[in-house]
Amino acid sequence: MYDNNQNVVVEKNITLIERNKCSELTDKLANEVRVALVYNGISHTVMLASPRDLEEFAIGFTLSERIVSNVNEIKGVDIEHVENGIIIHIEITQRCFMDLKEHRRSMAGRTGCGLCGVAQLDDAVKPIKIVDSDAVFNMDYLPGILEQAKAKQTNFELTGATHAALGLNNQGEVIYVYEDIGRHIALDKLIGAFSRRNAEKPAAVLLTSRASFEMVQKAASADIGILFAMSAVTALAAELAEKSNITLVGFCRNSRANIYSHPHRLQHGARLQEAAAI
């Protein structure tokens, strides 16, 4: 049976060299395992991921990669442990499966690359999806949320090796936290969590990583209207956010934030005017 809490952090005895002195101690490492996604019996891709919240990952990946258009087209998720990793068996509707077979390509996921294994340039860019979101967010909440984010990243606190995606409501509360060694996978897990039936959809999402093109593309697929990133925003991400009607904000730290697109969803005391930064 799948254990949702297994082996996320592992311990290893190491030698520490500090100020020319050696000492023996136990270090905590973020675990990463091979995770194969199999649709209707056909292998699709292999990712490296933290071995937790894998059902959420499967659902979120399937939605954010537009293998299905809504969660009701996912008929089942079954997780199997094998000698060399984990296999996630995902059952989707026959129509979606036929579309997947037609467009299927060979991919190999890595933690630092969102487009690994894409064979054709056209495969890297999905059709622009226009986000229809009336979400608003008061930027006065952001400093407190950033403080909460530190405390809620338990795996990062132990290992220093994970990213997180946090779902926020419009009262400035953190309602979802998902961590993974892969920033894309952390976002997929969050998407999978709130896409389930009767789950609360966040008003905004905060990434502890940079916001690159594929992160914005996943946000658009999930109809996320506001995307915050604690680190930088790439030029292609900003361009896609503008076209997709996503409010994209980067460098959210140290009482500052850079707004790259669609500031109309953000408030700061009075509503923000068209501006590039606050």
Side-chain angles (χ1 to χ4, degrees), residues 44-95:
H44 178 64
T45 187
V46 177
M47 311 290 282
L48 290 173
S50 303
R52 180 179 288 179
D53 305 311
L54 293 181
E55 184 173 348
E56 288 85 351
F57 167 51
I59 294 170
F61 178 89
T62 304
L63 288 165
S64 72
E65 292 297 314
R66 304 184 195 176
I67 295 170
V68 301
S69 58
N70 68 77
V71 72
N72 293 326
E73 292 173 320
I74 301 174
K75 297 304 180 182
V77 176
D78 185 58
I79 299 172
E80 176 189 5
H81 286 266
V82 295
E83 183 178 355
N84 294 323
I86 297 171
I87 301 174
I88 307 179
H89 300 275
I90 306 159
E91 191 74 19
I92 57 178
T93 64
Q94 190 63 23
R95 180 188 64 79

Side-chain angles (χ1 to χ4, degrees), residues 87-201:
I87 301 174
I88 307 179
H89 300 275
I90 306 159
E91 191 74 19
I92 57 178
T93 64
Q94 190 63 23
R95 180 188 64 79
C96 293
F97 181 58
M98 296 305 295
D99 289 343
L100 178 62
K101 283 180 65 177
E102 183 177 350
H103 298 100
R104 190 165 64 94
R105 58 186 181 268
S106 178
M107 298 190 308
R110 299 192 182 106
T111 59
C113 175
L115 300 174
C116 295
V118 173
Q120 304 288 336
L121 285 175
D122 288 345
D123 292 335
V125 182
K126 296 176 174 61
I128 300 294
K129 180 179 178 182
I130 307 301
V131 170
D132 182 18
S133 171
D134 58 1
V136 294
F137 192 85
N138 192 320
M139 296 293 282
D140 292 345
Y141 293 136
L142 193 57
I145 289 170
L146 293 173
E147 284 300 315
Q148 290 182 61
K150 295 178 183 178
K152 291 181 180 293
Q153 293 177 71
T154 55
N155 294 334
F156 180 81
E157 181 69 22
L158 291 171
T159 68
T162 57
H163 298 286
L166 296 86
L168 318 173
N169 66 19
N170 56 14
Q171 286 81 49
E173 298 168 331
V174 178
I175 56 175
Y176 298 103
V177 181
Y178 285 91
E179 292 184 271
D180 201 275
I181 56 166
R183 57 197 174 91
H184 318 92
I185 297 175
L187 180 56
D188 279 334
K189 288 178 177 180
L190 173 59
I191 291 170
F194 73 71
S195 296
R196 295 183 176 191
R197 198 169 299 165
N198 300 322
E200 181 180 358
K201 183 177 180 179

